[in-house]
C-alpha cells in the first residue's frame, strides 16, 4: 500500500525536461518506469541551407507559444532523455496518445513555421542533432534508437489521433479509451504481469472501429508486461493473441487486423 497522490505541475517544456531528468537520476536497475503522455503532438518542416526539407515530430508543451518562437520537445531530444533513463533500467515503457505519435507524437491545429535546422547548442543538447558524416538527422523518431524502451503510439507519424467520449462521459484520446477499457476486466493482482499481447489486438480493433484512419503502433515485444516490464528476450517473444473461454466457446482477440479471416482454422491447445 502506498499513496496514490501525484503532485500536479503544468506541462511546460522546462517541467517536462526536469521530469525526465529526475527519472534518469532516481531510476536504478530493476525499477519499472511507465510514462504516459496524452496531449498535443506536432509535425514541423525544417529546411537545410542547401534547400532540402524534412520533417521532425514533437510533443507540444503548454507554453509552446509563450515566447517569440514555438517551443517544442522534438523527437531527437526525447530520444536522448529516454536514453538516459534506459541506461539505468531496462524496464521502460512510453505510451504516446497524440498526433504523429509513431514519429513522436494530438495535433493542436498549429500553423507552425518551417525553419532552418537548429544546432545542437541551440537545442541545449550535448551531441549534434545530425550525423557528423552524412549530415542527416539521427534515426527516424524515438522508436528507432532506444533499444530497451517499449513505445506504444496512438497513430503513425503522418496521422492524426482522434478523441471521443469515454464511458465516464469525459473526452479521451481513442488510444487512452481503448487502453483503459482493455485493462478494466483484468484483476488487480494480474496488472503487474499482464502482457501487451493480452490486450493489444482488442485495442487496435477498438480504435480502428472508431477511426479507420488511425493505426496504433508498437515498438517492442508483445510479450512484455504492460506496466513497464523487462524486455522479453526469450522464446516467448511472440506470444500470439489473447484467448479466453466463454461457456462452450472461445473468444479470440484477433481478426482481419491480425490476418485472421473468416476462413482461418484455429486450434486451441490446453
Amino acid at each position: 500500500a502506498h499513496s496514490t497522490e501525484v503532485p500536479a505541475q503544468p506541462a511546460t517544456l522546462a517541467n517536462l525536461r526536469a521530469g525526465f531528468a529526475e527519472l534518469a537520476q532516481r531510476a536504478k536497475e530493476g525499477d519499472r518506469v511507465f510514462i504516459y503522455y496524452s496531449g498535443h503532438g506536432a509535425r514541423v518542416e525544417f529546411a537545410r541551407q542547401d534547400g532540402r526539407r524534412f520533417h521532425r515530430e514533437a510533443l507540444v508543451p503548454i507554453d509552446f507559444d509563450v515566447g517569440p518562437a514555438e517551443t517544442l520537445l522534438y523527437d531527437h531530444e526525447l530520444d536522448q532523455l529516454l536514453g538516459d533513463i534506459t541506461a539505468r533500467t531496462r524496464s521502460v515503457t512510453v505510451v504516446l496518445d497524440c498526433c504523429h505519435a509513431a514519429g513522436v507524437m494530438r495535433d493542436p491545429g498549429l500553423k507552425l513555421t518551417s525553419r532552418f535546422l537548429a544546432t545542437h547548442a541551440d537545442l541545449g543538447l550535448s551531441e549534434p542533432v545530425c550525423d557528423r558524416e552524412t549530415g542527416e538527422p539521427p534515426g527516424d523518431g524515438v522508436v528507432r534508437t532506444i533499444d530497451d524502451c517499449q513505445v506504444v503510439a496512438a497513430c503513425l507519424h503522418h496521422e492524426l489521433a482522434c478523441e471521443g467520449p469515454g464511458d465516464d462521459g469525459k473526452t479521451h484520446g481513442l488510444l487512452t479509451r481503448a487502453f483503459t477499457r482493455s485493462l478494466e476486466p483484468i484483476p488487480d493482482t494480474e496488472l503487474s504481469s499482464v502482457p501487451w499481447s493480452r490486450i493489444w489486438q482488442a485495442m487496435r480493433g477498438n480504435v480502428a472501429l472508431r477511426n479507420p484512419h488511425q493505426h496504433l503502433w508498437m515498438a517492442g515485444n508483445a510479450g512484455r508486461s504492460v506496466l513497464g516490464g523487462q524486455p522479453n528476450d526469450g522464446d516467448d517473444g511472440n506470444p500470439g493473441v489473447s484467448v479466453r473461454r466463454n461457456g462452450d466457446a472461445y473468444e479470440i482477440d484477433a481478426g482481419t487486423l491480425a490476418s485472421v479471416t473468416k476462413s482461418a482454422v484455429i486450434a486451441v491447445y490446453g
Side-chain angles (χ1 to χ4, degrees):
H2 59 85
S3 173
T4 58
E5 294 292 327
V6 178
Q9 297 184 45
T12 63
L13 180 60
N15 283 343
L16 288 173
R17 286 171 170 167
F20 280 105
E22 182 182 0
L23 282 172
Q25 185 176 20
R26 294 177 56 187
K28 56 184 182 297
E29 184 62 37
D31 284 351
R32 292 190 182 197
V33 177
F34 183 78
I35 300 170
Y36 200 106
Y37 177 83
S38 182
H40 288 304
R43 196 168 192 234
V44 184
E45 183 181 67
F46 280 84
R48 304 184 191 278
Q49 292 184 350
D50 60 5
R52 289 187 299 162
R53 296 178 178 273
F54 66 96
H55 291 87
R56 300 220 76 116
E57 287 75 46
L59 300 181
V60 182
I62 193 172
D63 60 342
F64 79 96
D65 57 351
V66 172
E70 301 98 354
T71 304
L72 305 173
L73 184 62
Y74 284 100
D75 49 9
H76 49 74
E77 183 178 2
L78 181 57
D79 181 274
Q80 180 173 305
L81 293 169
L82 290 172
D84 292 340
I85 298 173
T86 57
R88 303 290 297 269
T89 176
R90 300 180 67 206
S91 302
V92 182
T93 295
V94 179
V95 182
L96 302 169
D97 190 0
C98 56
C99 288
H100 314 296
V104 177
M105 303 330 117
R106 201 163 323 268
D107 184 4
L110 305 178
K111 294 183 178 179
L112 298 173
T113 58
S114 60
R115 63 197 66 187
F116 287 100
L117 181 65
T119 66
H120 63 285
D122 295 331
L123 295 168
L125 302 179
S126 58
E127 296 294 334
V129 172
C130 291
D131 184 272
R132 290 185 177 89
E133 296 181 1
T134 66
E136 296 294 328
D140 182 19
V142 62
V143 295
R144 296 286 185 262
T145 54
I146 299 297
D147 293 334
D148 294 326
C149 183
Q150 188 95 352
V151 179
V152 176
C155 59
L156 302 181
H157 68 282
H158 61 282
E159 295 177 336
L160 304 182
C162 290
E163 300 174 321
D167 298 332
D168 55 3
K170 299 179 181 179
T171 299
H172 300 285
L174 296 188
L175 168 62
T176 297
R177 178 182 178 183
F179 180 64
T180 55
R181 176 173 287 188
S182 297
L183 290 178
E184 280 177 357
I186 298 176
D188 290 349
T189 54
E190 299 179 26
L191 285 177
S192 64
S193 60
V194 60
W196 281 105
S197 60
R198 184 169 171 181
I199 65 174
W200 183 242
Q201 297 300 339
M203 286 176 58
R204 292 180 65 199
N206 190 295
V207 171
L209 184 66
R210 287 159 180 79
N211 181 19
H213 305 291
Q214 179 178 341
H215 301 85
L216 298 189
W217 190 89
M218 177 166 59
N221 198 305
R224 192 172 185 166
S225 297
V226 171
L227 298 179
Q230 280 272 336
N232 193 322
D233 301 322
D235 294 335
D236 56 345
N238 184 18
V241 298
S242 174
V243 180
R244 56 186 172 273
R245 191 70 178 266
N246 184 1
D248 294 330
Y250 290 99
E251 291 182 354
I252 302 175
D253 284 332
T256 55
L257 287 175
S259 300
V260 179
T261 64
K262 291 183 179 180
S263 60
V265 177
I266 299 176
V268 180
Y269 298 90

